[in-house]
Amino acid sequence: MLFSSGKISVKKTYVYVDAFNLYFGAVRGTPYKWLDLHALCKRLLPKNDVVCIKYFTAKVQPRPGDPGQPTRQETYLRALRTIPNLEIHYGHFLSNTTLMPLADPQPGQPATVKVIKTEEKGSDVNLACQLLHDAYKDRFECAVVISGDSDLKMPIEMVINEFQKPVGVVNPHKNPSRQLQKIATFYKQIRQSVLLKCQFPDQLIDDKGTFSCPERWKATPPKSA
């Protein structure tokens, strides 16, 4: 926030969401996957004017044990598209077969095993590029990065030091990111109680019609949340 003559000046804010970092850090294994990012930003940043949310993700592929994963993801992306000021930016996945060492190889058995390794590529680079480009174009007065990925340390530092703009970090993980915590203008972590209060309604409407939260995601939240 800026303070001038005793009055609060609300900052025009862009929010950059590292989707997989948010998913694996805060919502995986919880009943809070139907997350309304607009509501989350309002709750985390009540004194900021959030004018744009940029969501960085990649299309998942069906897995033998979970063929419905891409359908659930597309339903969630459809829900996100109902947020007027939200943009979705895509990276991609790379899969390859590689040999990996066993943690505890048994005597007389191979020390390595062949696995299919899948890596998400591009989202962190896309986020960093967008953050720097938007700062250069002077599109925001404040930026907020939702991620615990320390690889984003340099672009965040550049925006703070070179463009003289504040950058906050919201870490989805339970453990703090020490590197990001040191350089961020302000730093927060996401509590499950906040996730509980920031869910989309079970049913939403867009230009294609009515659609619902995936059945697999409909779960009773813990009473302690």
Side-chain angles (χ1 to χ4, degrees), residues 2-200:
L2 292 174
F3 293 87
S4 176
S5 302
K7 294 182 179 180
I8 295 176
S9 176
V10 177
K11 285 188 177 181
K12 179 181 177 183
T13 302
Y14 273 38
V15 177
Y16 301 81
V17 183
D18 181 344
F20 287 100
N21 205 275
L22 173 61
Y23 175 80
F24 286 106
V27 302
R28 186 187 187 192
T30 77
Y32 310 126
K33 297 182 180 73
W34 196 231
L35 182 61
D36 181 343
L37 293 180
H38 173 70
L40 181 68
C41 290
K42 284 183 66 177
R43 189 164 288 274
L44 291 173
L45 307 163
K47 297 180 181 179
N48 293 61
D49 179 20
V50 178
V51 297
C52 185
I53 303 169
K54 298 194 175 188
Y55 184 79
F56 298 87
T57 189
K59 292 290 187 75
V60 300
Q61 299 298 318
R63 295 176 177 270
D66 190 5
Q69 191 175 17
T71 301
R72 294 194 303 276
Q73 184 193 39
E74 185 52 47
T75 302
Y76 182 61
L77 294 176
R78 186 178 174 186
L80 291 181
R81 293 186 192 105
T82 66
I83 300 174
N85 64 339
L86 185 140
E87 302 173 5
I88 299 174
H89 299 266
Y90 292 101
H92 61 280
F93 280 99
L94 288 179
S95 294
N96 58 79
T97 303
T98 185
L99 286 173
M100 299 289 288
L102 288 168
D104 187 22
Q106 300 300 310
Q109 298 295 319
T112 59
V113 62
K114 187 180 289 188
V115 299
I116 299 174
K117 188 176 180 181
T118 302
E119 296 179 288
E120 190 272 329
K121 295 288 186 180
S123 288
D124 53 351
V125 175
N126 291 345
L127 191 158
C129 290
Q130 287 280 325
L131 174 64
L132 289 166
H133 183 68
D134 290 339
Y136 173 74
K137 290 290 187 179
D138 198 26
R139 289 174 175 155
F140 58 74
E141 296 172 293
C142 174
V144 176
V145 175
I146 300 180
S147 179
D149 187 350
S150 60
D151 287 348
L152 296 170
K153 177 177 180 287
M154 182 175 285
I156 291 173
E157 276 187 313
M158 290 178 70
V159 173
I160 294 171
N161 297 328
E162 300 297 325
F163 296 102
Q164 302 297 305
K165 293 179 180 291
V167 182
V169 170
V170 176
N171 182 15
H173 296 264
K174 292 180 180 179
N175 295 325
S177 172
R178 300 297 183 191
Q179 293 189 51
L180 296 183
Q181 195 171 23
K182 285 180 182 177
I183 56 100
T185 307
F186 61 90
Y187 185 90
K188 297 184 177 185
Q189 290 186 262
I190 300 176
R191 300 185 305 274
Q192 290 219 336
S193 59
V194 171
L195 298 176
L196 170 63
K197 296 171 183 176
C198 297
Q199 298 295 295
F200 281 116

